[in-house]
Amino acid sequence: MWAEAHRAGYQTMKLTDVGSGLDPNRKGLQKLLALVQDYRMSEIVVAFSDRLTRFGLGYLSTRFFGYGLQLTVLEPAEEKTPEQELTKDLLALIASLAGQLYGLRSRKRRELLACAEHGLSNP
């Protein structure tokens, strides 16, 4: 782990999320923000900036700076043209919305199956 090699002697914590960088309600992100608000961190390290958030990294960086935190991005994004940035952002939005749509469909399917099972078990 990067922190063990580069921040030896410091207490470290690893937070992970399963979900889209577009979702502001991810458990790991909410925990991170609570730790920041409680002044329990001095540095935040992410492998890629889009793992923290797809959009609004500037806002988060400003917030972290206000709490005296350093944000370290291990793999900074390569320089892209505005067209490449827009294309990447649009693809990220489409992927996120498609994931939400599939999630809704699977939730409805589970609800229908539960209803059918309940109906079959209680004739």
Side-chain angles (χ1 to χ4, degrees):
M1 189 161 93
W2 180 90
E4 293 170 349
H6 292 87
R7 300 296 187 261
Y10 289 91
Q11 183 179 3
T12 61
M13 177 186 302
K14 181 178 181 180
L15 298 175
T16 59
D17 266 321
V18 177
S20 169
L22 290 169
D23 182 6
N25 298 315
R26 298 182 323 258
K27 289 180 184 178
L29 178 61
Q30 292 303 312
K31 183 174 182 177
L32 172 69
L33 294 175
L35 290 167
V36 167
Q37 189 171 350
D38 292 341
Y39 292 93
R40 295 186 52 207
M41 307 184 92
S42 60
E43 181 180 21
I44 297 171
V45 179
V46 294
F48 300 93
S49 62
D50 66 350
R51 298 294 85 202
L52 184 58
T53 182
R54 284 283 179 196
F55 305 108
L57 184 64
Y59 296 118
L60 281 178
S61 296
T62 301
R63 182 174 186 184
F64 296 157
F65 181 77
Y67 282 92
L69 290 170
Q70 176 181 337
L71 175 62
T72 302
V73 179
L74 300 178
E75 295 289 333
E78 69 256 7
E79 292 295 317
K80 295 182 179 170
T81 66
E83 292 83 5
Q84 290 172 318
E85 259 321 301
L86 179 61
T87 301
K88 180 183 173 198
D89 292 346
L90 286 172
L91 289 174
L93 284 169
I94 291 169
S96 175
L97 294 173
Q100 288 178 12
L101 178 63
Y102 292 131
L104 289 173
R105 286 182 183 167
S106 69
R107 189 176 316 122
K108 285 182 182 176
R109 182 177 172 270
R110 284 192 305 269
E111 289 172 359
L112 285 171
L113 286 174
C115 182
E117 288 174 3
H118 180 62
L120 290 174
S121 64
N122 297 324

